[in-house]
Amino acid sequence: MDDLARARVARMLHHRKAGLGVGEPIVPSISLSTSFHLPQTQGATHIYGRNGQPMWDAVEAQLGILEDAEVVAFPSGMAAISAALFVSLKAGARVMIPSDGYYVTRLLGRDMLAPYGVEVTEVPTLEMPTADFTGFSVVYIETPSNPGLDVVDIAALSARARVAGARVIADNTTMTGLLQRPLDLGADLVVAADTKAPAGHSDALFGHVSGRDPVLMGRIREWRRQTGAVPGPFEAFLVHRGLETLELRLERMCASAQIIAERLAAVPGIRGLRYPGLPGDPAHAITRRQASGFGFLIGFELASEAQAEAFLAACPFIVQATSFGGTHTAGERRARWGDNVAPGYIRLSVGIEPAEALWDAVSAALTEVGAQIRA
Ligand SMILES: *Cc1c(COP(=O)(O)O)cnc(C)c1O
């Protein structure tokens, strides 16, 4: 992280200070009120709970500081992605989405956008830098892609999209606004699932859209009000709390992921190892240039579905769950959801366990299932 990023984290932690009166609570209060005192409509900060409420304001302020952008909070990552796509598209428009990205985004394209007359084109992340954007209204990227961990050069792609007249929407879930800032690199909108590392404790679904065009962000806000895709105040509270420790958690998670990935690279029974922090990884050079960390996701293949499942079951410090970015290291075979990866491909989300304890457990489980560990 550079000095500017550190300053943003510090500002985020103190974002409430300027607005506090003497004796007021340091921590924002969860307001459950759906209605607000309105003897007249002029000058009201809040009108009705679906339009806005204080706990959303607090989270949007935090995320806005991290991203230098206007932020609209949503009840899940998919709600944020839907808002960005539906607001950007209309019948007859064309959208390019990654064929190897988060699978529910592809489902949304196929089952929800296409029936309204939107033409959805799926392109592998690695082919997007050379794809022809002519005639596309939106180029939607996810970098690194989930679960394959391929990346695109966001600045180069955004510049090309701009020339073609296409809006770039970037799913920044895997990196978070602390490690990667697509808006600085030319993306028009960022979407993210704060369900993952920002909330960080596997106990809240949340998402957001951010952007720097006030007119476009006004449309996103209006989408939330009109469709009613509104986050709950308690979830917003949990995300507000999670964001306060995001930088600390990410630091541990990324450092541990680097250690685990380097050691996995020395295990003969492992193939297809992917971690952008490994100098030999295809994503290394671009990630180094456009992000301030390599993330906490590792991909690798064991010999078979059976060996991968046995490994996950044998390791006491891996929770077998979908999702990532939590405090506990989590792993799963992505092929079980139909992702286009080898049957033995495991996505590991490194948690905040002390790295050596985690590695001891991982290496013991690898030995137990017959993936050899080199001495
Ligand atoms: C999890 C995830 C989403 C969806 O987020 P939800 O909060 O589960 O709706 C979208 N994109 C990516 C890359 C994700 O990992």
Side-chain angles (χ1 to χ4, degrees):
M1 254 200 331
D2 58 21
D3 288 347
L4 279 172
R6 285 193 201 97
R8 281 194 291 267
V9 170
R11 266 203 294 133
M12 180 194 75
L13 280 162
H14 290 277
H15 81 95
R16 281 174 47 78
K17 184 173 177 177
L20 284 181
V22 176
E24 283 187 340
I26 298 299
V27 174
S29 305
I30 305 174
S31 165
L32 297 176
S33 192
T34 56
S35 305
F36 298 86
H37 184 55
L38 284 182
Q40 82 252 345
T41 52
Q42 294 303 307
T45 15
H46 296 102
I47 296 166
Y48 178 59
R50 179 158 38 69
N51 302 36
Q53 68 112 290
M55 204 59 237
W56 304 353
D57 297 347
V59 176
E60 289 174 354
Q62 286 177 308
L63 290 167
I65 290 167
L66 288 188
E67 299 190 23
D68 291 318
E70 188 173 339
V71 172
V72 179
F74 283 94
S76 66
M78 284 315 304
I81 291 167
S82 301
L85 286 173
F86 275 90
V87 157
S88 300
L89 294 164
K90 60 184 183 201
R94 300 173 75 191
V95 55
M96 187 180 292
I97 64 172
S99 59
D100 50 351
Y102 185 63
Y103 76 110
V104 185
T105 306
R106 294 200 302 279
L107 291 182
L108 180 79
R110 199 181 66 200
D111 298 343
M112 305 294 166
L113 288 167
Y116 283 100
V118 173
E119 195 182 316
V120 182
T121 304
E122 292 187 18
V123 174
T125 293
L126 289 179
E127 289 175 23
M128 282 200 167
T130 51
D132 184 2
F133 297 154
T134 311
F136 281 88
S137 303
V138 172
V139 176
Y140 182 98
I141 57 173
E142 188 182 306
T143 179
S145 60
N146 169 30
L149 302 179
D150 284 325
V151 302
V152 292
D153 182 326
I154 301 170
L157 181 138
S158 300
R160 251 179 13 87
R162 178 139 305 154
V163 172
R167 178 176 292 168
V168 173
I169 301 175
D171 184 333
N172 203 35
T173 300
T174 50
M175 292 303 250
T176 82
L178 268 181
L179 299 182
Q180 181 168 277
R181 292 161 51 85
L183 297 174
D184 287 358
L185 301 169
D188 298 283
L189 289 176
V190 160
V191 293
D194 299 303
T195 307
K196 313 292 169 54
H201 295 71
S202 315
D203 55 10
L205 281 159
F206 211 78
H208 75 271
V209 178
S210 54
R212 292 173 183 163
D213 173 346
V215 175
L216 181 54
M217 291 309 291
R219 291 268 299 153
I220 298 283
R221 202 171 291 283
E222 203 47 25
W223 168 272
R224 179 176 65 185
R225 184 171 81 96
Q226 292 184 20
T227 63
V230 291
F234 187 62
E235 283 73 15
F237 177 87
L238 290 174
V239 174
H240 189 275
R241 181 189 179 111
L243 281 167
E244 297 212 326
T245 55
L246 177 62
E247 192 246 340
L248 269 176
R249 286 182 287 110
L250 278 180
E251 199 176 345
R252 165 66 69 86
M253 288 154 70
C254 295
S256 296
Q258 183 74 39
I259 292 170
I260 303 285
E262 282 169 7
R263 294 183 188 173
L264 287 175
V267 177
I270 282 177
R271 283 169 308 175
L273 175 65
R274 293 300 306 269
Y275 180 64
L278 296 173
D281 191 274
H284 184 72
I286 293 176
T287 308
R288 235 191 129 87
R289 218 166 45 234
Q290 72 183 10
S292 55
F294 296 109
F296 49 84
L297 293 179
I298 299 174
F300 62 96
E301 278 172 51
L302 290 177
S304 63
E305 173 178 339
Q307 192 184 43
E309 290 293 351
F311 162 72
L312 292 169
C315 186
F317 296 157
I318 296 177
V319 293
Q320 290 178 267
T322 195
S323 197
F324 58 82
T327 52
H328 310 90
T329 293
E332 70 167 340
R333 263 188 345 99
R334 286 302 296 185
R336 68 179 181 167
W337 301 113
D339 282 353
N340 186 22
V341 290
Y345 182 88
I346 290 171
R347 182 189 65 198
L348 204 63
S349 167
V350 176
I352 63 168
E353 303 88 350
E356 292 304 331
L358 179 59
W359 173 251
D360 288 349
V362 166
S363 63
L366 286 170
T367 304
E368 191 178 321
V369 303
Q372 274 177 297
I373 302 277
R374 204 172 268 150

